[in-house]
Amino acid sequence: MTSRDAGPVWVFGYGSLVWRPAFAHRERRPAVLHGFARRFWQGSTDHRGVPGAPGRVVTLIEAPGAHCWGMAYAVERRDAEAVLRLLDHREQGGYDRHQRTLHEPHGDRAFASALVYVATASNPDWLGPAPLAEIARQVRRAHGPSGSNREYVLRLAASLREHGARDEHVLALAALVEAEDAEAAA
Ligand code: BEZ
């Protein structure tokens, strides 16, 4: 092992990892990834939906000038193999791992090179873009082994608000889901 390999392995969370990492880490800190936008373009048939009635979860889309706020986790190198195995299993092969630089949300200083999971457009669960109202309808209907798709969207939006992070796609979708809930209850 070289001295470069001695530090932690950083993992960037931008979906459920923001509020539920479910793996041991020695540090967590808010982070920004440049050049990517978060989108509900990946289908979920194993967590927030089921085959035939998929939910929608986030992935990252390359978009020059965009940025994505998330949570960075420092994993002890001795734990990294087990953590990556767990994440690879959790994401069931629809996502590729990339190595990307993370920046501090305030001041923009680069602080780590992290593993970032990005769904491939060729994976079998890929759904791609759709009008936000259509995505909201799908989210309100979908349920899977990890819970409702609605809960996933609203928890992500709540985490972003809690940290003062702006993400119009997520916040607008959460607002639509809540508005449709209110309409249905009226
Ligand atoms: C997450 O941050 O929850 C995440 C998103 C996509 C792949 C892996 C993890």
Side-chain angles (χ1 to χ4, degrees):
M1 187 186 281
T2 69
S3 57
R4 263 171 62 82
D5 291 334
V9 172
W10 286 89
V11 177
F12 181 64
Y14 59 95
S16 59
L17 289 186
V18 169
W19 73 86
R20 189 174 60 87
F23 55 77
H25 50 277
R26 79 171 191 212
E27 185 186 345
R28 84 198 277 261
R29 57 192 286 192
V32 166
L33 174 67
H34 289 294
F36 286 87
R38 175 174 20 219
R39 292 289 180 266
F40 282 88
W41 289 6
Q42 172 66 5
S44 175
T45 56
D46 52 355
H47 287 293
R48 300 290 176 164
V50 291
R56 279 185 178 254
V57 293
V58 287
T59 184
L60 293 169
I61 306 300
E62 276 200 80
H67 66 268
C68 177
W69 179 95
M71 196 60 79
Y73 296 91
V75 175
E76 296 289 3
R77 198 157 282 269
R78 63 172 179 272
D79 299 331
E81 204 179 310
V83 167
L84 296 187
R85 220 178 303 121
L86 181 139
L87 287 174
D88 287 349
H89 176 74
R90 180 161 149 176
E91 304 314 329
Q92 297 284 339
Y95 290 79
D96 279 353
R97 273 194 233 148
H98 298 258
Q99 195 76 39
R100 290 285 180 275
T101 301
L102 298 182
H103 293 250
E104 291 175 344
H106 303 288
D108 206 35
R109 191 179 69 88
F111 72 88
S113 173
L115 289 171
V116 178
Y117 284 79
V118 178
T120 57
S122 58
N123 84 78
D125 288 334
W126 176 260
L127 294 173
L132 213 55
E134 200 176 293
I135 295 180
R137 277 195 295 277
Q138 184 174 357
V139 162
R140 289 187 65 245
R141 278 196 303 263
H143 292 260
S146 300
S148 72
N149 204 179
R150 180 183 176 283
E151 184 216 16
Y152 174 96
V153 170
L154 298 185
R155 285 197 78 161
L156 179 56
S159 298
L160 295 178
R161 279 194 221 98
E162 190 185 314
H163 288 90
R166 293 209 62 79
D167 187 320
E168 280 314 312
H169 180 71
V170 177
L171 298 180
L173 177 61
L176 263 179
V177 167
E178 286 185 314
E180 286 176 22
D181 285 348
E183 208 171 290

